[in-house]
Structure formats: structure tokens, C-alpha cells
Amino acid sequence: INAEYMGLMICLITVFATRALLSKEQFDTFGWRLPFLFSSVLVVLSYLLRRRLKESPLFSKTQLEGKLSQAPIKQAFKVKGNLRLMMLAVFGGNAAQSTIMHCTQFVSLYFLQRTVMIPDSTALLILAVANLLGGLFFQPFGALSDKVGRKKVILSGLIASAMVIPLSFYLFMQFGNPERLAVIHAISLPITCLFVLLIFCMSLCSAMVYGPMGAFMLELFPTNIRYTSMGFSYNVGNGVFGGSTAFITEFIKKSLVVGVVFAPFIGLIYPLSLIVIAICINAAYVPETHKRSLG
């Protein structure tokens, strides 16, 4: 199962358990701090695990041969064509991959809680089940890209997400709160199962894009400046553009005045824009990296 999804599952289980064991007053007063305190255990564990990690054989070989860049940041921006590759990685995949994942994990949760107005416990349960099932498909889609190519799988996931995300949010509203109620209300078991299915479908789209992304990024950049180039592309795409998805969607919803029909969905303009941009750039400019030598 994908590590990020495993982290999300641990987070959801922790929050769900904390809410179940404490009253609302206790949770609002001090209980919300407990998941953050628990995360300190994971920080220590991750530090111990990372200390045991070793460099890849190819990097070690390059290091022994003295071929590593002495100024990797400067070279990443100066080497002819590498800045273009980093921009292609950001806008042709990374930003969209991140925004799809945020729509699947966070925007959908906020939408169910604040717009569809279902109980927090139900929304968390829906998200946990759907992402647990979807998290099983990241490795298979990565393996599929080993056979058919990175670009075909990533582009297929981008196109699918452009259709699945708006349809899912529309169905959330149509089946979960057709009367636009402003109070928290329960939903039936069949509708709960439908919502699990919809988020699972979004998770599949995320797996199609994210599954091959690691190998694609490795193959896209030269060895001596690979880590720096990947780091820049990943942090700008995932952190700045994609990572802002939940904040910007909520900001747009509160800032733009539109008709009643479109008001709940107006925030999706941002993630869908990133996805459409990625589809165009990926289809037209991003190279197929499958079977490229990493040397």
C-alpha cells in the first residue's frame, strides 16, 4: 500500500478513535492536541529508519568516480534544457498529481463535512474505507507503467481525474444534500456506500498518476543533478501548487459570488485547472522516459 495513504489511514484512525473516546467538549478543549502528540512517535521512528538507509548503487558509483556536481543547485538551473525539464515535471505531472490526491483526501472530506453536512464520523469513515481500498493500486499502476510506459499511465490518470472529480462532487451534493440543508444530517447506508465508491474512483485516478511518478522523475533527470532537480520539481509542484489545493478551493468558495447551482462547486476551478494544464503539457511536451538508462 502507498506510504502516503498509509499515513493518512493512521491519521484518520487516530482522529476517529480520539473523537470516539472523548466527549465533544473534551475534544474541543484538549483532545485535538493528542493526534499531534502521537505524531512525535512517528517522527522518532522515521528518523531511526532513515539512519539505516543507504545510497543507491548508482549514486555511490558516481560519487566514487568523482562525477557528482560540486554546485548542484546552480547546475540544475544552468545545464541546458534542465530548467525546461523541471517545468515539465511541475506542470506536466507533479502539481496535478498533488491536487488530485488533495481532492481525494482533504477537499472531499471538507466538502462532505461543510457542504453536504453529514456527521464528521461518517465522513471520516467514508474517507478511510475508500482510501484504504484505493491505496492498494499504487504499486500495480507503477508496475503497469514498467510494461506500457510512464506517459500512457500518467496521462490516462489525468484524463480520468478531469472527469471523475467534478462528477463525484456533483453526486455528493445530489445524493447527500439535495435540499441544500444547512444542518448536519445522517445519510442512508446505500448513499454511504456510493460515496465510498466515488472517493475510491478518485483514489484510483490518483494511483494512476502517482504510481509511475517516482520512476518517471528518476528517468527524467541526469544522475549528477537528479536529486536537486527532483527536489525542486517535487516541492514546487506538490508543495506550492498542489499542496495549496485545499486552502485555495475553500478561499474561492468564500470569495466568488456565483449562482446557487454552482456555488458549492466553484472551488473546484483550481484543481481542475491544474489537471487540464497537465493534460495539455503532458500530451504535447513531456517525453516518454520508460527504459531510459539511469546512468
Side-chain angles (χ1 to χ4, degrees):
I1 190 169
N2 177 267
E4 289 192 27
Y5 271 60
M6 181 62 75
L8 177 65
M9 289 302 304
I10 295 173
C11 173
L12 290 173
I13 291 170
T14 304
V15 173
F16 195 84
T18 305
R19 281 183 174 274
L21 294 171
L22 301 175
S23 66
K24 185 179 185 303
E25 292 73 22
Q26 289 175 321
F27 184 84
D28 292 341
T29 303
F30 68 89
W32 62 270
R33 295 182 174 90
L34 297 180
F36 291 95
L37 291 174
F38 176 71
S39 70
S40 62
V41 178
L42 299 179
V43 171
V44 174
L45 180 61
S46 65
Y47 170 75
L48 294 175
L49 290 174
R50 284 187 174 274
R51 287 196 62 181
R52 294 174 176 267
L53 291 177
K54 297 180 180 180
E55 298 290 355
S56 68
L58 186 59
F59 181 89
S60 299
K61 180 174 180 290
T62 305
Q63 189 175 38
L64 287 173
E65 294 173 350
K67 295 181 180 179
L68 290 181
S69 172
Q70 299 303 309
I73 296 176
K74 181 179 178 181
Q75 271 198 280
F77 289 92
K78 290 284 188 178
V79 170
K80 184 178 180 181
N82 199 64
L83 179 59
R84 178 177 180 273
L85 289 179
M86 290 193 292
M87 291 299 102
L88 290 178
V90 170
F91 296 107
N94 272 128
Q97 169 257 307
S98 180
T99 205
I100 295 168
M101 187 169 283
H102 276 77
C103 283
T104 304
Q105 297 178 351
F106 304 113
V107 179
S108 58
L109 176 63
Y110 302 151
F111 192 83
L112 291 176
Q113 292 173 327
R114 302 170 185 176
T115 306
V116 183
M117 300 296 290
I118 66 175
D120 287 352
S121 58
T122 304
L124 288 169
L125 183 61
I126 289 170
L127 198 72
V129 174
N131 282 296
L132 177 62
L133 296 173
L136 300 173
F137 289 85
F138 283 77
Q139 276 74 21
F141 279 120
L144 179 63
S145 75
D146 288 337
K147 298 179 180 179
V148 303
R150 318 297 180 204
K151 185 170 180 174
K152 289 180 181 178
V153 181
I154 292 173
L155 188 56
S156 298
L158 291 171
I159 294 171
S161 66
M163 297 182 286
V164 170
I165 289 175
L167 176 62
S168 296
F169 280 82
Y170 173 77
L171 293 177
F172 286 153
M173 202 66 188
Q174 286 299 108
F175 286 94
N177 194 1
E179 298 175 0
R180 307 294 174 95
L181 300 175
V183 295
I184 296 174
H185 59 280
I187 55 175
S188 66
L189 180 60
I191 293 176
T192 301
C193 293
L194 172 64
F195 287 2
V196 169
L197 177 62
L198 292 173
I199 296 182
F200 169 71
C201 290
M202 285 194 282
S203 183
L204 280 183
C205 295
S206 180
M208 292 177 72
V209 180
Y210 191 92
M213 189 61 67
F216 164 73
M217 295 283 283
L218 281 172
E219 296 161 348
L220 188 64
F221 299 108
T223 304
N224 62 331
I225 53 172
R226 178 173 292 140
Y227 191 83
T228 304
S229 302
M230 286 178 62
F232 173 84
S233 304
Y234 185 86
N235 285 287
V236 172
N238 286 58
V240 178
F241 291 102
S244 304
T245 298
F247 170 76
I248 293 178
T249 52
E250 290 296 310
F251 178 78
I252 292 173
K253 281 176 65 177
K254 294 178 181 178
S255 302
L256 293 185
V257 179
V258 295
V260 176
V261 175
F262 296 103
F265 315 107
I266 190 65
L268 294 177
I269 286 177
Y270 180 72
L272 290 176
S273 296
L274 289 180
I275 293 168
V276 170
I277 290 170
I279 290 172
C280 296
I281 292 177
N282 197 288
Y285 302 107
V286 172
E288 175 56 76
T289 63
H290 181 43
K291 294 185 178 179
R292 273 191 185 179
S293 172
L294 294 179

